[in-house]
Amino acid sequence: MPLKAYPPEHIRNIAVAGHGGTGKTSLVEAMLFQAKAIDRMGKVDDGTTTTDFDPEEIRRRHTINASLAPLEWDGIKINLIDTPGYPDFVAEMVGALRVVEGVLIVVDAVAGVEVQTEQAWSRADAHGLARIVAVNRVDRENANFDRTVDALRERFGTGVIPIQVPIGAEAGFKGVVDLLAMKAYLEGEDKPQEIPADLRDGATAARERLTEVAAESDDALVEKYLEAGSLTDEELQRGLVTGAQAGKIIPVVAAAATKRIGIAQALHAIAGLTPSPAHAGAVTGTHPRNDAEVTVEPTDRGPFAALVFKTLADPYVGRLSYFRVYGGSFASDSQVLNSTRDKAERVGQLFCLRGKHQEPTSRVGPGDLGAVAKLAETQTGDTLCGKDHPLRLAPIEFPSTAISMAIEPKSKADEDKMGNALHRLAEEDPTFTVRRDPELKQTVISGMGESHLEIMADRLRRKFGVEVLLSVPRVPYRETVRGKAQAQGRHVKQSGGRGQYAVCSLEVEPLARGGGFEFVDKIHGGAIPNQFIPSVEKGVRKALEEGTLAGYPVLDLRVTLFDGKYHDVDSSDIAFQLAGGVGFREASAKAGIVLLEPILDIAVRVPEEQMGDIIGDLNAKRARILGMESQGDSTTIVRAQVPQGEVLRYASDLRSITGGRGTFTATFSHYDPVPAHIADKVAAEARRQKEEAESQRA
């Protein structure tokens, strides 16, 4: 059903967020069906829902991509954004929360408050967004609405308050009581009914608690409530709207999405209690040339400004950019400025999206969401604006990547296509990065978790026809010398005709960690002509790159050239390069080679009660605990230094230990010697890989 244009005061932008498996997609599907935006209600298990249309989503039966689902209700356009509930795909939720005024947080009536409930709530807090909680699956065995509400209030405060109470429980759940209208709404009945006799006292008490909370949102209402002991229906509604739009009151509704119970009442709550773009008011940006503050009003009259919050890469139609218009109007077949990249963009057809369905539109007005295909330069987080009024909106702050894996093509044909395909996927997902490690000769991809990277590998195959293999990336070990030693490097070949002759005497000695490499020339009396001394250094540097023990670069040492011999005819640049390499390898072998491993500074943020488990796990990973810091929200930051090779899969380990509540950051610190038993294994593996590579070349 085509959507008409709505002014910003009649638009509601709502992200649907929460823990995975709480029924968010089913709830969105039920709302679309209730509003007659779709004529058939799909099911997640059948792969027929509007917003889970990606083949990987259908196969896995959970949301991976944020998806738009606009509908019309009570004269209001509600732009729902269905977001994933699994931490590997948090970028989709982060982008959605940046462009909405409200969040519908979905909580399972059996499981209650879960990890991603907390994450969604925290991010909504950070953006100052209004919230409504939908306690879903009230029809399930062991579901308990009151217990779930108590858990929400205990975790998030007394502003969490039901505006409905369920009629029946578990399999007997058959409707809800609206505490504002004090009417019952039963399954299959459109018209309100009288409240069942056995629920009247409970509903009256629940309305009284709601009245107390609503009164606190307005000083005049508090005074009226204290004097009269009650509020009129209009005053209760006014207090509830004021508190909910300010984020001080979080209304709670009850629902069973697959049975379509409570769906209409949830839509009424969204339309009536969440703020519009007009209510949210102006946003500020900066002028791209002088950083002066620029105000963007949510009206047609002001300058045009839009933010791209999601990019979908498609091998056939190119990039599909999802955007939110903050001011002015975005018109099809126009030209705009990408002020983030200072590039002009030619705009073709604009679309209103509902899942994968694209409805062409001539314009997208202020406060509304839409999409456009084939923008040449634009990526997620970029600002689009008019050329006459350049400005930049604040970018979207995405979390850092948590895990890396090496990726390699299965065949030569795949190799030719892999680089461009990876680049396309990186444009689509800001938490997916690609880099080429020239030292380790690996392409490394990074993301939020193993599932994230596995799905990216599947997209390479499905979208771009590229078959790849994933593996744990190699650790960038280093080598250094243990002590001081001297050796002579010789490269002499004189068997008739022009020969090769170079002899150099070298001394190696270790430097302090982080000392790098020093080459010292102590040649006296012309033992080696000046023009060949750089050749010796070049040969030594080449040998440093190739390593001696396990093929890793050598660092933190000084090499001194103190003597040598040459031949007037047979000496050459290449001869002294080769002699320098030989001399270095022999001297370093005498001095003793030490394998070094990269050490990371790691900061792990976990709930206080899990601190002991984290410290125990870090100790098992050969970490050195540096200290702990208590945070105000019952969390602790554990700081440590840990070998990189021990934490290649730490994102998965931490998620397992903390149930997803822990987060960490890691940065390179320094190199330290590897314990002997580990060094032997690393060297043996390096020799095996070298032999395999040589046999393949042969």
Side-chain angles (χ1 to χ4, degrees):
M1 182 180 70
L3 290 164
K4 64 181 182 181
Y6 281 81
E9 57 268 22
H10 290 163
I11 294 174
R12 304 291 185 271
N13 296 312
I14 306 294
V16 183
H19 198 82
T22 55
K24 297 184 297 298
T25 297
S26 296
L27 190 61
V28 169
E29 189 77 3
M31 289 179 172
L32 290 171
F33 186 74
Q34 186 75 37
K36 296 182 172 57
I38 56 176
D39 55 15
R40 177 179 174 273
M41 185 168 160
K43 296 181 179 180
V44 171
D45 288 345
D46 295 342
T48 55
T49 60
T50 303
T51 55
D52 279 2
F53 56 85
D54 185 280
E56 195 64 23
E57 292 176 315
I58 293 170
R59 185 176 74 83
R60 292 174 179 256
R61 297 181 184 175
H62 67 71
T63 302
I64 295 172
N65 301 296
S67 186
L68 298 182
L71 57 87
E72 294 165 302
W73 188 261
D74 287 349
I76 300 292
K77 181 183 182 183
I78 301 176
N79 288 316
L80 299 173
I81 309 180
D82 184 17
T83 70
Y86 291 90
D88 282 17
F89 314 108
V90 67
E92 300 288 322
M93 179 180 73
V94 171
L97 292 183
R98 175 66 173 78
V99 296
V100 299
E101 287 77 34
V103 187
L104 180 67
I105 295 181
V106 184
V107 179
D108 187 276
V110 179
V113 176
E114 297 175 271
V115 177
Q116 291 305 115
T117 313
E118 298 173 351
Q119 294 291 333
W121 200 284
S122 175
R123 292 184 182 277
D125 261 342
H127 287 288
L129 301 176
R131 269 145 286 177
I132 293 176
V133 175
V135 178
N136 192 27
R137 297 181 167 181
V138 182
D139 58 326
R140 297 295 180 93
E141 185 178 353
N142 297 322
N144 190 310
F145 179 82
D146 292 336
R147 180 186 64 214
T148 303
V149 170
D150 289 343
L152 286 162
R153 290 171 65 86
E154 181 179 348
R155 179 66 183 85
F156 303 117
T158 55
V160 178
I161 189 74
I163 59 172
Q164 301 168 3
V165 292
I167 300 173
E170 300 184 16
F173 177 52
K174 58 183 180 180
V176 297
V177 173
D178 182 343
L179 296 179
L180 280 75
M182 289 301 282
K183 294 290 184 179
Y185 292 85
L186 300 176
E187 179 182 6
E189 298 286 341
D190 292 332
K191 294 183 178 180
Q193 313 287 320
E194 292 301 315
I195 300 173
D198 60 331
L199 291 179
R200 287 174 189 163
D201 290 345
T204 300
R207 179 183 165 100
E208 182 63 27
R209 290 191 294 271
L210 176 62
T211 303
E212 291 177 12
V213 172
E216 293 172 0
S217 65
D218 185 289
D219 290 342
L221 292 180
V222 170
E223 188 174 333
K224 164 75 184 299
Y225 181 71
L226 291 176
E227 289 179 358
S230 64
L231 297 177
T232 65
D233 289 352
E234 187 276 330
E235 290 168 335
L236 174 58
Q237 177 74 21
R238 189 175 84 235
L240 188 57
V241 169
T242 300
Q245 291 186 343
K248 296 178 181 179
I249 295 175
I250 294 87
V252 182
V253 300
T258 55
K259 292 184 177 179
R260 291 179 48 222
I261 303 176
I263 304 304
Q265 289 66 49
L267 287 168
H268 284 310
I270 291 171
L273 300 179
T274 58
S276 68
H279 181 272
V283 298
T284 56
T286 57
H287 195 285
R289 294 185 181 86
N290 56 23
D291 290 333
E293 189 173 282
V294 181
T295 300
V296 180
E297 298 283 351
T299 68
D300 274 323
R301 297 183 299 277
F304 163 64
L307 184 73
V308 175
F309 66 93
K310 174 180 170 62
T311 305
L312 192 64
D314 189 285
Y316 304 109
V317 301
R319 284 195 297 259
L320 189 64
S321 301
Y322 294 55
F323 59 82
R324 153 78 188 261
V325 178
Y326 282 90
S329 290
F330 199 176
S332 292
D333 303 316
S334 61
Q335 284 196 346
V336 298
L337 173 69
N338 180 326
S339 58
T340 306
R341 305 181 189 279
D342 195 25
K343 298 283 187 179
E345 287 279 21
R346 184 178 297 277
V347 178
Q349 179 65 58
L350 300 183
F351 300 99
C352 292
L353 295 182
R354 181 178 291 120
K356 65 181 178 181
H357 177 70
Q358 301 176 359
E359 182 71 34
T361 183
S362 60
R363 64 179 288 277
V364 178
D368 214 345
L369 307 179
V372 59
K374 298 182 180 179
L375 295 181
E377 305 287 344
T378 301
Q379 296 182 18
T380 301
D382 288 359
T383 299
L384 302 176
C385 61
K387 294 181 179 180
D388 297 335
H389 296 89
L391 63 98
R392 286 180 188 156
L393 299 170
I396 304 171
E397 295 182 5
F398 291 100
S400 302
T401 58
I403 191 171
S404 298
M405 297 187 81
I407 185 169
E408 58 181 309
K410 281 188 176 181
S411 68
K412 181 66 171 68
D414 294 319
E415 182 178 358
D416 295 338
K417 296 185 290 185
M418 188 179 79
N420 181 59
L422 285 172
H423 177 70
R424 296 278 294 275
L425 290 180
E427 291 177 343
E428 176 179 332
D429 186 344
T431 60
F432 176 73
T433 62
V434 183
R435 64 182 174 87
R436 178 67 184 172
D437 191 320
E439 175 196 330
L440 299 175
K441 298 179 176 59
Q442 287 186 312
T443 298
V444 178
I445 58 174
S446 302
M448 301 308 299
E450 290 188 39
S451 293
H452 185 196
L453 298 185
E454 288 168 1
I455 283 174
M456 286 303 189
D458 180 79
R459 286 180 181 171
L460 283 172
R461 176 188 58 78
R462 181 169 45 80
K463 284 189 172 185
F464 302 98
V466 179
E467 298 279 355
V468 297
L469 298 172
L470 297 179
S471 61
V472 176
R474 291 195 285 271
V475 176
Y477 292 103
R478 296 288 186 269
E479 300 175 11
T480 192
V481 293
R482 192 187 306 275
K484 182 186 290 189
Q486 295 180 352
Q488 188 181 76
R490 293 173 57 86
H491 183 72
V492 178
K493 290 186 178 180
Q494 293 174 305
S495 57
R498 177 68 183 268
Q500 298 181 46
Y501 187 95
V503 179
C504 59
S505 297
L506 301 174
E507 179 181 80
V508 300
E509 59 185 312
L511 295 177
R513 199 68 60 237
F517 167 66
E518 292 180 15
F519 182 82
V520 180
D521 171 17
K522 285 192 176 181
I523 291 295
H524 298 289
I528 298 177
N530 286 338
Q531 71 263 31
F532 293 135
I533 290 173
S535 303
V536 176
E537 181 179 356
K538 189 174 181 180
V540 170
R541 287 186 178 275
K542 188 172 188 300
L544 289 175
E545 293 174 2
E546 295 173 349
T548 56
L549 176 67
Y552 291 100
V554 186
L555 48 69
D556 297 345
L557 80 162
R558 179 185 295 120
V559 176
T560 303
L561 172 64
F562 62 89
D563 200 3
K565 297 178 183 179
Y566 75 101
H567 188 277
D568 288 334
V569 176
D570 293 342
S571 289
S572 65
D573 169 60
I574 189 63
F576 272 101
Q577 284 189 45
L578 294 170
V582 171
F584 168 74
R585 283 188 287 271
E586 292 189 5
S588 60
K590 290 181 181 178
I593 299 296
V594 179
L595 191 68
L596 303 175
E597 61 185 345
I599 304 297
L600 305 181
D601 284 325
I602 190 169
V604 189
R605 190 175 188 274
V606 293
E608 285 181 358
E609 64 270 17
Q610 295 173 322
M611 182 179 64
D613 294 335
I614 292 301
I615 292 175
D617 179 66
L618 287 173
N619 284 332
K621 290 176 165 60
R622 300 190 288 123
R624 182 164 67 93
I625 306 299
L626 301 179
M628 288 152 281
E629 302 172 16
S630 293
Q631 300 288 295
D633 54 353
S634 301
T635 62
T636 298
I637 295 178
V638 179
R639 300 191 185 277
Q641 290 186 333
V642 59
Q644 181 178 335
E646 298 285 348
V647 290
L648 293 174
R649 293 183 178 272
Y650 193 61
S652 300
D653 294 345
L654 182 62
R655 191 172 296 168
S656 175
I657 294 170
T658 65
R661 287 183 167 84
T663 59
F664 79 100
T665 58
T667 55
F668 172 76
S669 174
H670 63 281
Y671 276 91
D672 263 356
V674 179
H677 68 286
I678 297 177
D680 291 342
K681 292 179 181 178
V682 172
E685 176 62 18
R687 286 192 292 271
R688 185 190 66 79
Q689 291 179 357
K690 184 178 180 181
E691 290 170 359
E692 282 186 0
E694 289 175 349
S695 66
Q696 288 175 359
R697 284 196 296 269

